[in-house]
Amino acid sequence: SERKEESMTGGGGSDALHQLYYDPNIENKNLAQKWLMQAQVSPQAWQFCWALLSPEKVPEIQYFGASALHTKISRYWSDIPTDQYESLKSQLFSQIACFSSGSKMVLTRLCVALASLALNTMPEAWPGAVAEMVRVFQEDGGGVDGRARCLALLELLTVLPEEFQTSRLPQYRKGQVRGALGREWGSVCPLLQQLLRRTDSPGAVKARVLRCLSSWVLLDVPLSESEGLVHDCFSALPDPELFDTAVEAIVNAISQPDSQRYVNTLLKLVPQVLALQEQLREAVQNGDMETCHGICRIAVTLGENHSRTLLEQVDHWQSFLALVNMIMFCTGIPGHYPVNETTSSLTLTFWYTLQDEIMSFESDKQAVYLQVYRPVYFQLVDVLLHKAQFPSDQEYASWSSDEKEQFRIYRVDISDTLMYVYEMLGSELLSNLYDKLGRLLTNAEQPTSWQHTEALLYGFQSIAETIDVNYSDVIPGLIGLIPRININNVQLADTVMFTIGALAEWLADHPVMLSSVLPLVLQALGNPDLSVSSVSTLKKICRECKYDLPQYATNIVAVSQEVLIKQIHKTSQCMWLMQALGFLLSALPVEDILRNLHSLITPYIQQLEKLADETPNPSNKLAIIHILGLLSNLFTTLDISKQDDESADGSAPPVKTAPPPPGPNPVVVVLQQVFALIQTVLSKWLNDSQVVEAVCAIFEKSVKTLLHDFAPMVSQLSEMLGQMYSTIPQASALDLTRQMVHIFASETDHFPPIKALFELVTSVTLSIFQQGRGSCRGGSVSNINAFSSFCLPLLGVLSLKFPEAPTVKSTCLFFTELLPHCSDVPPLARVVQEDGKLLVQAVLEGIGGGASRSLMDQFADVLFCLNKHCFSLLAVWLKEALQPPGFPSSRITAEQKDNFSHQILRERVNKRRVKDIVKEFTLLCRGLHGTEYAAEY
């Protein structure tokens, strides 16, 4: 390795570069790269980089020499003595002249190096830098032809603003240099105009001019000062070789934030954009997607960035309306996205912007604009629904999966646009869609394509999914039309399903209409191609309309059982279907629920019994998890109490509004029947976290849904959880324990098993943490993380509920072990940040009189640890927690609380002092300060 490095050094870097580019040995390549990176920043780089640029070297080596120069100038400018600036500049000018007819990549790197030098020296050491560059390259170039010199100059002028954007200049220098570059535009603009307007300028020169303009306008060159050049860019658009760079230059110029100040210039641009319509139509006829795309970009950029400015020029309203109509043409461009065209998607955000601007005017002004633009937006709806239509079945079958996915996303974008447009057009939009659909379905003379029907329904669905359509007078008619649709295609059937699903809330208010649509949904359940749409729609109907479904329940359960047994649907849809059945059964009498549950889950229980007897293997593991998942999803939504705000995902406990019927809860009945079987499954799979998680999910979902109705299960479940956790501790068991403690710790009847479970879990987790203090970095991080998020909210409950104190002592010890790891275990830091205030509140409540005085040292240890490892957070938490009057004790004043807080925050070293502060404060809180008890304490 050392010999290799010596040989590299001896070759002035050439050997290393040769190895980097040509050596097949990866070890040699890596070594060469490492050496070259070090060489670039070494003091010797100034010598060898010029040598590497010599004409006899290959371009790769010359490129490295130029890159090394740039690195030295841009990153180590302070190493260069002031008296060497001029010679460095001259050498770079000379090298650029030499390479102007040589390797393009080397020329660019040399230009970037000179640009970096200019940025470091302007305006003080090199005033008029750009003017000098122009002058140097316009002089006779010693044998270098004029065209090559011109291209080299343009390359230098192009990279100068780009290098500024990425430079590491200090902020104060950036401001100075930006100002200096702005003043240099006066030297650049005439040159670019001259080159672009000369008839004898070669295409390559004009293309470079356009690139250079693009680069400079990003420096916020005033639009009024680049107006002439932007006009010249429009003149360049008919030239296919210049088209792309001209589009880029125009788009960059008119999208600069500052450009909206130049109203007159913008008004002059509108007719220039409108003049492109002929070129656009020709491009559409010729299938020239690139030209369509480019012209559309220009029109949309002008409209999107300057809608308000152009709307406000009321004397020019017709020309802006013409621009809007041009963009409408681009939205409705012929052909199917993304196969025949890719332009229409560019326009969608323009319609949002224009609507926002119109709706932001004061009501009088807004009314005038709406008169003009409401008809435009109704036309837009027609255009969008036409663009959303599927192609013919034959054509669609020929599309790749990627094209189909792009089309799906495009339709979602159209759906979002329609939903937004509804805010402007209101109920008239729904009436408009309904009239069109009605005419389509009732006109027997004119055959209709399924694509047309599907697109109109898709429009309805887009709006009904997110807008409250309950007050619309056209929905009854729409529901009446749906059965008339000849559903002979999967895409149409899917949209019919999703439309019915979007109207589920409306159906809950008009249950008489359920009989029109429910048969369609149940029929679709048997079609695997309609899996997602049919199951999600049934779930929505069962959730929203459950109190109106009992008469259909037998049929719904029978069809659902059939499709589940036939395994028509994928796992996630099976889970949704079980949630749907949970909602449905919730509204039935208890005896009907139990009868249906028996027929629904008996086959799965029998299957689970068989699986429980088998030796564990990957395939029966999947089957077990699937069955447990079905049960857990069923119990997520099966709730026989009347409630508000049902939460299908269990994210928040529902609010009970009426007591459940007398007798045991059907879910509890089933859980008690299968409890022994679940224990058998666990005994074989206890070391598999996924199976344990699936078991815990059944009980966790049931606890969240049933709340106190789960009470009969508390004792046996607490015992099972304790056995599970003490054998193999897993985070899912902790999450379930947390749910149990939250709900049942305050109930006297259930306190003993909950207390025993909590003590066991605390003891086991603490021993894990103490056995290998660093182990929280490894496999048990999920346990430690789950336990800390489990303990933080519960410490308050415990400090009040466990008068004998050992559990609270263990928990406090856990936190003093845990908190020092916050800085190196990010998940722990997140938990503490989110729930640390709860911990502080619980500790203060204990100190304030809620816990035994024998625990004060432990509480002091927790506060000391928080102060040491979470100081800034503790300061906030103490302030917020102590703010409420009467907390943590009605005996203390706000001043005493402030004093306590300041004293705690001051002590980050002396733990003994913190304990004294806490003891003194607890005596104040308990009204014992200065008594004989205090003397003993």
Side-chain angles (χ1 to χ4, degrees), residues 632 635-636 649 696-706:
S632 120
F635 298 154
T636 298
D649 59 1
C696 289
I698 289 181
F699 295 106
E700 192 177 352
K701 298 285 173 61
S702 305
V703 171
K704 277 183 177 175
T705 307
L706 303 183

Side-chain angles (χ1 to χ4, degrees), residues 116-296:
S116 185
L117 184 145
L119 296 175
N120 277 296
T121 51
M122 65 194 318
E124 298 88 356
W126 192 3
V130 174
E132 186 178 338
M133 291 173 187
V134 173
R135 196 189 68 250
V136 166
F137 281 94
Q138 282 181 331
E139 289 169 357
D140 187 26
V144 180
D145 75 86
R147 180 171 172 272
R149 279 204 321 277
C150 181
L151 286 170
L153 172 60
L154 288 170
E155 184 66 18
L156 177 57
L157 293 177
T158 302
V159 300
L160 184 60
E162 293 169 354
E163 179 68 6
F164 172 76
Q165 305 287 6
T166 58
S167 68
R168 301 180 176 205
L169 294 171
Q171 207 53 45
Y172 79 95
R173 279 282 298 148
K174 275 219 159 187
Q176 289 178 343
V177 175
R178 180 184 281 277
L181 284 170
R183 291 189 292 276
E184 298 278 12
W185 174 243
S187 303
V188 178
C189 184
L191 172 73
L192 300 185
Q193 272 187 322
Q194 181 193 352
L195 291 170
L196 210 47
R197 290 174 183 177
R198 278 176 58 169
T199 49
D200 60 342
S201 282
V205 168
K206 286 186 175 180
R208 198 68 60 82
V209 167
L210 293 169
R211 261 194 60 218
C212 188
L213 173 60
S214 265
S215 180
W216 276 82
V217 294
L218 294 175
L219 290 174
D220 295 333
V221 168
L223 188 60
S224 57
E225 292 180 20
S226 60
E227 183 185 324
L229 270 169
V230 173
H231 180 80
D232 294 336
C233 292
F234 278 94
S235 305
L237 287 170
D239 185 336
E241 285 182 24
L242 302 179
F243 181 81
D244 288 342
T245 42
V247 168
E248 207 61 43
I250 294 167
V251 166
N252 283 347
I254 57 183
S255 57
Q256 286 311 299
D258 195 43
S259 55
Q260 61 198 27
R261 293 197 298 129
Y262 304 98
V263 179
N264 289 333
T265 305
L266 290 172
L267 288 171
K268 289 180 202 168
L269 285 172
V270 175
Q272 289 185 283
V273 175
L274 294 174
L276 299 173
Q277 288 178 98
E278 189 53 45
Q279 190 180 352
L280 175 61
R281 286 196 184 88
E282 280 178 22
V284 169
Q285 283 171 358
N286 300 331
D288 180 354
M289 284 166 69
E290 283 75 18
T291 300
C292 294
H293 204 80
I295 293 174
C296 175

Side-chain angles (χ1 to χ4, degrees), residues 330-388:
C330 295
T331 304
I333 210 156
H336 287 288
Y337 181 96
V339 176
N340 317 113
E341 63 90 9
T342 55
T343 297
S344 57
S345 63
L346 297 177
T347 65
L348 298 181
T349 50
F350 163 74
W351 299 108
Y352 284 80
T353 307
L354 179 61
Q355 181 176 323
D356 282 346
E357 297 299 358
I358 291 170
M359 303 307 279
S360 70
F361 285 116
E362 292 161 11
S363 54
D364 294 352
K365 232 177 179 183
Q366 189 188 108
V368 175
Y369 286 115
L370 285 174
Q371 211 172 347
V372 176
Y373 286 101
R374 268 176 68 87
V376 172
Y377 272 83
F378 274 113
Q379 185 192 346
L380 173 67
V381 171
D382 292 343
V383 168
L384 289 175
L385 291 177
H386 181 73
K387 291 299 293 182

Side-chain angles (χ1 to χ4, degrees), residues 3 31 102 149 154 169 183 196 305 374 401 427 450 503 569 613 771 847:
R3 278 203 302 276
L31 185 66
R149 279 204 321 277
L154 288 170
L169 294 171
R183 291 189 292 276
L196 210 47
N305 285 280
R374 268 176 68 87
S401 57
S427 57
W450 70 262
L503 296 171
H569 301 291
D613 289 338
Q771 279 163 19
I847 296 169

